[in-house]
Amino acid sequence: MTNYAMKIKNLTKKYGDFTAVKNLSLDIEKGEIFGLLGPNGAGKSTTIRTCLGLLSKTEGEIEILGLDSHKDAIEIRKRTGYLPGEFGLLDGISVYTYLKYLLRLSSVKSDEKLKDLAKRLDLDLKRKTNELSKGNKQKVGVVQALMADQEFIILDEPTGGLDPLMQQIFYEILREEKEAGKTVFMSSHVLAEVETVCNRVAIIKEAELILNEHISTLQDMTGKVLEVEFRHKVDPSAFEIEGVTDIEVDDRKIRMTVTKDIDQVVKRVADHRVINMNLSTYSLEKLFLRYYSNGGVVENEKEGVAIGGGVK
Ligand code: ADP
Ligand code: MG
């Protein structure tokens, strides 16, 4: 038995002369929620569609659930729930009729999960498919990807069009799927989403993989942002110690990034009267933006160490 839900090895996909995915290798472990993150046009949908055998590949090998992505595409689709990035619905029928029709195609008899998902996502099953708003249409897509209770779920930008409350409910549903032993592979262009719901992230930019790391490792690597509001102005040089970077002063507030021993920093903070304090992992956003803008080399200015450049 393999421990991987999917193994992509040296995948290249060209549209004519244009390379949309270049020499991509990724392993998705069973039971994880894996986020494929990248800006628009990075090659996320192409990767997903190639993996599912919906597009031919130019080079490389893809194994899903121990099967060959192209030779065994039909068997794989039976065991995989999929939400496409763009999809159409059959017009003029109720949402329920549409979903039930799809459910029957996957030979699942019970519509219990379909109904439960629709209820949680506040999707009216009686509405006609051609009357749906963008958000409600997206909910139909989410329900259809999950309702047959398959072991591997592939979602292409699943939260597009969902309002923030629905996004939260959706994340909760994904976590439950993970707890039930499912594997989720989802694409997104929103870091906060991937950080909230995924345990591992790969970033692709212009067809190439530039990072593949556990979220917790990234958070450790990038450090935490500490913001302290003091009663009186404090000399920021007190915090110029090892592992502290990006010190910013705004009147009585000091904000800094802490990448090492937080204990020392807290002790220095405690030399002064504190009014308020906040510790966050916001700096992952910074790391991400730098990855997006300069292709993967992140310099830690103070120490001159390149962090996170490792492509695995
Ligand atoms: P993402 O999903 O990350 O936004 P895509 O995989 O849709 O990116 O697209 C990657 C690149 O491939 C883009 O530059 C896009 O314009 C191009 N592309 C996508 N589909 C086709 C196609 N059918 N023919 C030619 N180029 C395409
Ligand atoms: Mg896409």
Side-chain angles (χ1 to χ4, degrees):
M1 275 299 282
T2 162
N3 285 322
Y4 295 101
M6 178 156 80
K7 279 173 98 73
I8 305 174
K9 205 171 153 202
N10 305 117
L11 174 68
T12 294
K13 170 64 190 176
K14 289 187 183 177
Y15 294 111
D17 289 339
F18 177 76
T19 305
V21 179
K22 192 173 171 189
N23 201 25
L24 176 78
S25 295
L26 272 186
D27 293 336
I28 317 301
E29 284 170 30
K30 280 193 177 157
E32 71 177 340
I33 303 184
F34 192 104
L36 184 64
L37 188 65
N40 295 328
K44 303 179 296 294
S45 297
T46 302
T47 301
I48 288 176
R49 302 190 54 188
T50 310
C51 286
L52 283 166
L54 299 169
L55 288 173
S56 63
K57 49 189 182 179
T58 308
E59 270 171 55
E61 286 156 45
I62 308 158
E63 205 182 277
I64 297 182
L65 303 169
L67 301 163
D68 180 275
S69 67
H70 285 65
K71 271 194 264 152
D72 305 316
I74 294 172
E75 172 67 17
I76 289 170
R77 282 305 299 277
K78 275 190 205 151
R79 294 166 60 186
T80 306
Y82 170 50
L83 169 66
E86 276 161 39
F87 57 94
L89 303 173
L90 290 176
D91 267 0
I93 52 175
S94 74
V95 170
Y96 180 76
T97 306
Y98 177 67
L99 288 170
K100 190 70 206 227
Y101 163 73
L102 292 179
L103 197 60
R104 239 179 261 131
L105 291 183
S106 57
S107 352
V108 176
K109 296 219 167 53
S110 165
D111 64 0
E112 203 178 318
K113 188 155 181 178
L114 181 171
K115 285 184 173 158
D116 177 58
L117 287 164
K119 193 169 167 205
R120 290 178 68 181
L121 290 165
D122 199 19
L123 171 66
D124 183 355
L125 289 170
K126 293 198 269 321
R127 288 299 288 269
K128 285 272 190 319
T129 47
N130 49 318
E131 292 170 0
L132 300 174
S133 65
K134 189 168 187 284
N136 279 323
K137 188 179 164 211
Q138 188 68 11
K139 290 178 194 176
V140 174
V142 169
V143 173
Q144 101 22 65
L146 300 172
M147 66 185 180
D149 214 20
Q150 287 126 325
E151 63 197 273
F152 190 28
I153 301 153
I154 299 183
L155 307 164
D156 194 352
E157 306 228 14
T159 53
L162 297 185
D163 65 47
L165 176 65
M166 281 306 141
Q167 289 181 12
Q168 293 307 319
I169 293 171
F170 170 72
Y171 300 151
E172 203 177 287
I173 292 171
L174 282 194
R175 285 189 205 103
E176 289 168 22
E177 294 290 329
K178 179 179 191 285
E179 268 164 39
K182 313 284 179 61
T183 308
V184 179
F185 180 61
M186 62 179 267
S187 73
S188 175
H189 65 273
V190 187
L191 170 76
E193 159 165 302
V194 167
E195 197 182 355
T196 304
V197 78
C198 300
N199 56 293
R200 203 145 63 95
V201 59
I203 300 181
I204 54 169
K205 190 189 163 195
E206 290 166 13
E208 289 191 78
L209 180 70
I210 53 176
L211 173 136
N212 174 9
E213 200 53 86
H214 285 272
I215 295 284
S216 55
T217 310
L218 281 179
Q219 285 167 340
D220 288 349
M221 246 162 46
T222 54
K224 294 183 162 52
V225 174
L226 176 67
E227 198 176 66
V228 190
E229 187 181 352
F230 295 100
R231 161 92 51 207
H232 307 287
K233 273 191 182 172
V234 169
D235 179 4
S237 66
F239 300 102
E240 285 170 5
I241 54 179
E242 206 196 340
V244 177
T245 57
D246 301 325
I247 301 173
E248 289 165 29
V249 183
D250 175 12
D251 195 25
R252 289 174 292 108
K253 279 188 197 161
I254 297 184
R255 169 195 261 257
M256 64 196 100
T257 303
V258 184
T259 46
K260 287 214 178 92
D261 194 8
I262 188 110
D263 182 63
Q264 273 198 57
V265 181
V266 171
K267 284 180 177 141
R268 299 219 172 179
V269 168
D271 287 339
H272 310 273
R273 288 287 298 273
V274 176
I275 295 190
N276 206 347
M277 202 157 103
N278 180 37
L279 189 66
S280 64
T281 52
Y282 161 77
S283 58
L284 196 51
E285 186 89 35
K286 272 194 194 163
L287 175 88
F288 174 68
L289 287 172
R290 290 191 220 174
Y291 264 108
Y292 265 28
S293 56
N294 68 16
V297 182
V298 182
E299 295 293 331
N300 182 327
E301 296 88 339
K302 276 271 155 65
E303 300 174 44
V305 187
I307 53 170
V311 173
K312 292 195 182 141

